[in-house]
Amino acid sequence: MQEELVQILENYSSMAITISILINIIVSIAGVVPSVFVTAANLTFFGFWQGTLLSFIGETLGALIAFYLYRKGFKRLSHEKLKEYPRVNSLMHIEGFDAFLLILSLRIMPFIPSGIVTFFSAIGSVSVIVFFLGSTIGKLPALLMESYAVYQVTTVSVQGKIIMSLAACYGVFICYKNIKKKK
């Protein structure tokens, strides 16, 4: 998918910045599509620092727009469904500095999907400002780590990519064995 996006950016280079930001916004609204392919395309096309900055801008705007849309579309419906789950329901009422710290912490963790953080923030009682600040500040170190990792993978030789792929397959195999052992 990264190659296709780079191709689009090359074909429409005069609008590449706008296209990149719009795609990041769409990915953020979708909530389930990982943004790493957009980051990889941005790094490939724009270079490390400009690509990282564009990904940051796009993801930040995307999170804010998704927050607004999720709040308008899901808040009332979600509260009805969550009444059955008192522990989850109590999380929906976190506000202020506690909400800021929770959002910040979740954004920094690279394995927590952004869409989930945005969704639960939107259906909760978090203010837009608290969400924006926690999300934006937390997104910065997470995106820098993601950009660095993606950049390293994209600049590695074919032999290095094969070694990384084999190591990843081995890691998945070990996880599978451990899960199977626990059952």
Side-chain angles (χ1 to χ4, degrees):
M1 192 143 195
Q2 169 201 344
E3 292 84 20
E4 290 84 2
L5 183 52
V6 170
Q7 183 87 32
I8 291 168
L9 296 175
E10 287 173 351
N11 290 341
Y12 300 97
S13 60
S14 63
M15 296 181 55
I17 291 172
T18 304
I19 291 169
S20 168
I21 291 172
L22 285 174
I23 290 174
N24 253 316
I25 290 170
I26 292 166
V27 166
S28 294
I29 292 169
V32 293
V33 179
S35 63
V36 69
F37 78 90
V38 182
T39 301
N42 284 344
L43 296 178
T44 301
F45 187 77
F46 296 105
F48 183 82
W49 290 110
Q50 189 177 8
T52 300
L53 178 63
L54 282 172
S55 289
F56 179 73
I57 291 168
E59 287 188 30
T60 301
L61 288 173
L64 197 56
I65 292 168
F67 178 87
Y68 176 76
L69 292 173
Y70 293 171
R71 178 153 283 179
K72 290 294 180 195
F74 295 109
K75 188 168 184 168
R76 194 175 314 125
L77 176 67
S78 299
H79 279 276
E80 294 298 319
K81 299 285 184 190
L82 292 175
K83 284 181 183 177
E84 302 170 22
Y85 305 98
R87 288 186 181 154
V88 175
N89 199 21
S90 67
L91 285 174
M92 297 298 103
H93 300 292
I94 295 176
E95 295 178 322
F97 192 66
D98 290 337
F100 169 80
L101 288 178
L102 181 61
I103 293 166
L104 176 80
S105 300
L106 291 173
R107 282 288 193 231
I108 290 174
M109 291 186 230
F111 52 86
I112 304 285
S114 274
I116 291 173
V117 177
T118 303
F119 179 77
F120 280 103
S121 297
I123 65 170
S125 45
V126 175
S127 72
V128 174
I129 299 211
V130 167
F131 172 77
F132 178 75
L133 291 174
S135 183
T136 303
I137 294 169
K139 213 173 251 307
L140 186 59
L143 188 61
L144 285 171
M145 287 186 284
E146 178 184 304
S147 293
Y148 181 74
V150 166
Y151 185 75
Q152 291 304 314
V153 168
T154 58
T155 58
V156 165
S157 67
V158 173
Q159 182 180 8
K161 288 179 184 178
I162 291 170
I163 292 169
M164 284 190 289
S165 297
L166 291 173
C169 289
Y170 179 72
V172 169
F173 175 72
I174 295 298
C175 289
Y176 174 76
K177 275 180 63 174
N178 287 338
I179 290 170
K180 198 165 184 163
K181 210 184 272 188
K182 288 180 182 180
K183 287 183 181 181

